[in-house]
Amino acid sequence: MQPPFELRVLRYFVAVAEELHFGRAAARLHIAQPSLSVQIRNLEHSMGAPLLFRSSRGASLTPAGEVLLDHARALLAAANVAAEATRAAAQGMGQKLVVGFQANAAAELTPKVLAAFRQEHPEIQVQMRSYPFADPTAGLAVVGHEVLAAGVPVR
């Protein structure tokens, strides 16, 4: 079942709830006040409850509006976190490179190579995995036409 609201409408509701005035909230959101009023009425209709008490001097929250305000703020914050994480992933942040090795192969060079790589690519997490001599692939395998390093596709 889908929730009876969109994030945009929740932003509108939060603005009205924080300003306690439709005109000021509309100015803050850079939208027309009649449009904001319609959106809030539609939200109230979809929720099946009044969210605001309206008067000629402004607005105040109903008990249902207070409940929605807490959840709306949490949902909007979570949406912002999701957007930031997605942007970071798209820019390569959060990517990881798995390096398989056997025993002490190139032991004296490994710290220097890792330091140079981290300097050039600080957004990529390097994970070292030791493999026994019995596994000559050191974690590399070909599945179909895709090379996997420790089960992760290599691109």
Side-chain angles (χ1 to χ4, degrees):
M1 183 172 123
Q2 290 192 359
F5 44 75
E6 298 175 15
L7 291 178
R8 175 182 52 83
V9 177
L10 286 181
R11 282 188 198 91
Y12 292 175
F13 171 73
V14 169
V16 174
E18 289 176 350
E19 297 291 337
L20 296 177
H21 193 275
F22 279 84
R24 287 192 301 267
R28 172 175 148 185
L29 295 164
H30 306 289
I31 63 172
Q33 187 271 324
S35 175
L36 177 60
S37 294
V38 167
Q39 293 293 328
I40 299 300
R41 284 239 185 256
N42 289 342
L43 175 62
E44 289 175 316
H45 178 72
S46 69
M47 297 298 294
L51 302 171
L52 298 160
F53 295 117
R54 293 156 175 83
S55 73
S56 58
R57 290 195 245 190
S60 61
L61 290 170
T62 65
E66 290 178 17
V67 168
L68 182 59
L69 179 59
D70 289 340
H71 290 285
R73 284 178 172 151
L75 284 169
L76 292 171
N80 286 336
V81 168
E84 288 300 317
T86 302
R87 284 186 200 105
Q91 295 172 355
M93 300 190 72
Q95 290 184 351
K96 95 175 141 178
L97 172 65
V98 178
V99 179
F101 65 94
Q102 292 178 324
N104 288 330
E108 65 278 349
L109 292 177
T110 302
K112 292 177 185 175
V113 170
L114 285 175
F117 183 84
R118 286 187 179 123
Q119 177 115 17
E120 289 293 317
H121 304 283
E123 74 281 3
I124 298 177
Q125 174 191 4
V126 178
Q127 190 175 67
M128 302 294 290
R129 289 197 185 157
S130 177
Y131 289 88
F133 283 110
D135 181 0
T137 66
L140 291 177
V142 177
V143 177
H145 296 300
E146 190 170 51
V147 176
L148 299 178
V152 177
V154 176
R155 300 193 197 285

